Each structure stands twice: as structure tokens, then as C-alpha cells.
Amino acid sequence: MALRIAVTAEPVPSHVSALDYVIGPALDQGHDVALYAPPMFRREARRRGVGFHRAGTDWTCDPAVQRVASGIWRQSGNASFNRHVFGRLWPERAEAKARDLIAAWTRARPDLVVSECSDLGGHLAAAVLRLPVWAADNGLGPVLLDLWDTDVAPALTSLHKRYGQDAPVLPPMVTPAPVHWFYGTPPPSARAVGRTVAAFRTAGPGLDGLPSSRPLVYVSLGTLTTAMPGLRGVVGDVYREVMAALSATGCDAIVSAGALARELPSTDPRIAVVEHVPQPALLRRVDLFVTHGGRASLLDAVQGATPVLGLGVLADQPGNTAAFARHGLGLALEPTARRAELADAVTALLGDPRHTAAMAAADAELSRLPPVDLAELLARA
């Protein structure tokens, strides 16, 4: 039986891609899928062949919001940044998102809501309308759980009371990887499911002309940090140190830096700087991935069996890269690491086949997970 599936996302550039493990199987299973999200994702919905309904605003693009958040990160560190963003900013904007969703779902009631785990307005709207709901882990699940009792739930309590709801709780969660990879203490409701990637993201990049005798390294520090004016300088310095380290090691490299690419001229012909690449496809062709450690990027690396050098910058990223290092899937350094330390780490990773073998084993473990079954989620909600 075809179900009406409502998927919600919050305004962070990579977040719809992080939900492809729900969207793809829902379409494959013949369900009617609609994305309820801020305007920035209209094109992403069209590319995936799903309906789009505007819900919420592109508030993360507000320069004032970015300036304050990045200032907190630079002055007080990632823990303070997380408390500000997830314990204050996200709860403050939950009501506006909830209002949009309540209005939309009152007009056209979905059978099942799959709301990304950080979409607090989506959770509230589903509760108000008594809709079955699951939270889709977008990588922020561990951060939210760590802050839930101390920061998130207290900030949401008065809002939930205004809407006649009990104390806020996270819905049961689906996560696109073995739970123990990222959760020290797994949430009891977490359900691990297989990961899929949208077909258009797997088109192979042109690598013609690159020598095959030297190791090929791919570098990307994500989309969010390069879009935040207060962090662009910091991330630009990290890119420069990484490029200098790679030049010293004699590797070939592709550096994907988004809008920062124009500010990172390469003086080494072995290092190509570009704005964007089809990352999942490229990671099947390279020998090492230097990454900020976003959840989707790390899982792309697993599916390409490519070891990682993690430079976690903010939010969940430091915890993600530390977890991968513990599992033998690469190494993790601070983003303040200098070129000599980076070069040593690159050399160690390229010279040790155990990391590649560990990645291949992780890919096999990931591939054994079944795709999410939307009808089953509805039955279990």
C-alpha cells in the first residue's frame, strides 16, 4: 500500500543529502514522498523527484546568526557552540516551523512523518496532530542526546506546554549506520538501516589525465564552514596547511573548497583546487580522504573503502572523527594541526594497509543493513 510520507529538513546545505537513506527507499517502495523544508531545498526536492512544500525559513543563512555562532566557536570552543546552536537557536525557531507544518498537515494529512532529528518544530507538529513520527539521524543525533536534558528539552518545555503537549522527547530514531559507530551509549529506540545515495550524486568525475603512479588524496572540509563568514578565514587556513602538507608528501590531490576555491590558488601542479565534485563517486577512486568529519562524508568514505584523516571543526564533527579513529578507519587531528603533523599523518595512512582493510570491513558491515522499510516504521511508530 502506498503511503503519504512527509520528510522534513532544517536549513543546513547538506541535510537533504543526509536524508537520502529515507527518501530513496521510500520512492523505491512506491510511496508518495514530499519534502517539507525551507526554500533553499526546492531544487533538491526537484532533483530527487519528490514534492516540495515550503516550511520554515533559511534562517541559518542570516549573516547575523552566522556571525554570532562562529564568534562563539572561535572564542569559546565547540562545546559552547553546540549549546548555543542546538540548545538555543534551534529551539527558538521551532515554533515557526511547527506552525507551517501544522497548517500544511491539517490540509493534507500524511500517513507517516520522518523528521530529521534536529527538526524540533517537525517533532512538535507531529505530536500536536498525533501523527506517527520517526526522527531521521542526520549526524546530529549524538549531539542532541548529549544536550537534551540540560539544554534542548528545557528550552522547548514552555513551547510544548503552549501547544498542550507533555515534556518534549525525541521520537524513535532511524540511523544510517551501525549504531555503535557513533553512539557511546546508544539510544534504546535507535534502529540502524542501510544507507543509500541519490543517483545524481554518483556520476563519476572526470579524472582523465591524472597520473596513476602516485597516491591520490581528496580534500573537502564541508559546505557549512565555508559558507559562514566568521569561519571562512579559519577554514581557509586549514586548507592551506593541508595543501602544503600534501605538496611535501608528493601526492596528487583534488581539493574541493566550494566558494573558497577562488581564494586557494595552487602552486603545485599535482594539486587541483575545484569548487565541487561528485563526492561519493570520487571516494571510490582515491587513496585517502582528508575531511571535516561530517556524518555523510564519513559514510561516503566507508562506501568507497577510503581511509580518512579527520579534522573535525564544529558540531558533531570532532566526535565523528574521533569515533572513526577509535575503530581504526583513519586518524583524527585537531583543525589547528600544522603542515608537518599533517604530512606525517598522511604518510602514515597511505603507508599502512590496515586502515584500508578496516574500511573494507566497515563497508561490508554497512552493506548488510537492510534499507529502511517505511511501512514497518509506520507499524512500529
Side-chain angles (χ1 to χ4, degrees), residues 193-266:
V193 298
R195 181 175 189 257
T196 57
V197 177
F200 69 86
R201 297 187 65 229
T202 61
L207 299 181
D208 296 339
L210 285 175
S212 58
S213 59
R214 295 189 293 266
L216 178 59
V217 179
Y218 167 52
V219 183
S220 175
L221 301 179
T223 55
L224 180 59
T225 50
T226 56
M228 296 177 68
L231 290 179
R232 283 173 63 93
V234 173
V235 176
D237 289 343
V238 177
Y239 271 117
R240 292 181 186 92
E241 289 297 308
V242 170
M243 291 168 65
L246 294 175
S247 185
T249 61
C251 298
D252 292 311
I254 298 173
V255 178
S256 176
L260 272 176
R262 295 185 293 274
E263 302 173 25
L264 299 170
S266 173

Side-chain angles (χ1 to χ4, degrees), residues 110-132:
D111 297 306
L112 175 67
V113 173
V114 183
S115 187
E116 69 172 330
C117 62
S118 54
D119 194 342
L120 306 175
H123 306 163
L124 174 58
V128 168
L129 296 176
R130 300 185 181 275
L131 291 168

Side-chain angles (χ1 to χ4, degrees), residues 62-268:
D62 183 338
V65 170
Q66 294 179 348
R67 185 168 55 252
V68 172
S70 56
I72 290 171
W73 182 88
R74 296 181 69 170
Q75 295 170 16
S76 304
N78 192 51
S80 295
F81 171 89
N82 284 345
R83 286 194 297 272
H84 173 73
V85 172
F86 305 111
R88 178 179 172 184
L89 293 184
W90 245 271
E92 285 177 351
R93 284 151 180 83
E95 183 171 16
K97 183 69 169 292
R99 283 199 305 266
D100 288 348
L101 292 174
I102 290 169
W105 294 342
T106 298
R107 292 191 300 268
R109 188 178 179 88
D111 297 306
L112 175 67
V113 173
V114 183
S115 187
E116 69 172 330
C117 62
S118 54
D119 194 342
L120 306 175
H123 306 163
L124 174 58
V128 168
L129 296 176
R130 300 185 181 275
L131 291 168
V133 57
W134 283 73
D137 188 2
N138 55 15
L140 295 173
V143 175
L144 287 171
L145 287 174
D146 285 345
L147 295 175
W148 192 265
D149 290 337
T150 58
D151 295 83
V152 181
L156 288 171
T157 297
S158 62
L159 173 61
H160 276 243
K161 286 183 178 178
R162 273 204 308 277
Y163 280 81
Q165 301 302 304
D166 295 331
V169 295
L170 266 175
M173 190 180 304
V174 288
T175 187
V179 177
H180 67 89
W181 284 9
F182 297 103
Y183 288 89
T185 303
S189 64
R191 182 173 181 79
V193 298
R195 181 175 189 257
T196 57
V197 177
F200 69 86
R201 297 187 65 229
T202 61
L207 299 181
D208 296 339
L210 285 175
S212 58
S213 59
R214 295 189 293 266
L216 178 59
V217 179
Y218 167 52
V219 183
S220 175
L221 301 179
T223 55
L224 180 59
T225 50
T226 56
M228 296 177 68
L231 290 179
R232 283 173 63 93
V234 173
V235 176
D237 289 343
V238 177
Y239 271 117
R240 292 181 186 92
E241 289 297 308
V242 170
M243 291 168 65
L246 294 175
S247 185
T249 61
C251 298
D252 292 311
I254 298 173
V255 178
S256 176
L260 272 176
R262 295 185 293 274
E263 302 173 25
L264 299 170
S266 173
T267 58
D268 187 332

Side-chain angles (χ1 to χ4, degrees), residues 242 290-292 308-313 317-318 321-322 325 330-346 349:
V242 170
V290 181
T291 173
H292 64 303
V308 300
L309 172 56
L311 304 171
V313 179
Q317 299 161 13
T321 56
L331 297 175
L333 295 176
E334 294 293 325
T336 53
R338 309 308 292 174
R339 61 192 64 180
E341 186 178 8
L342 290 162
D344 288 345
V346 168
L349 285 164

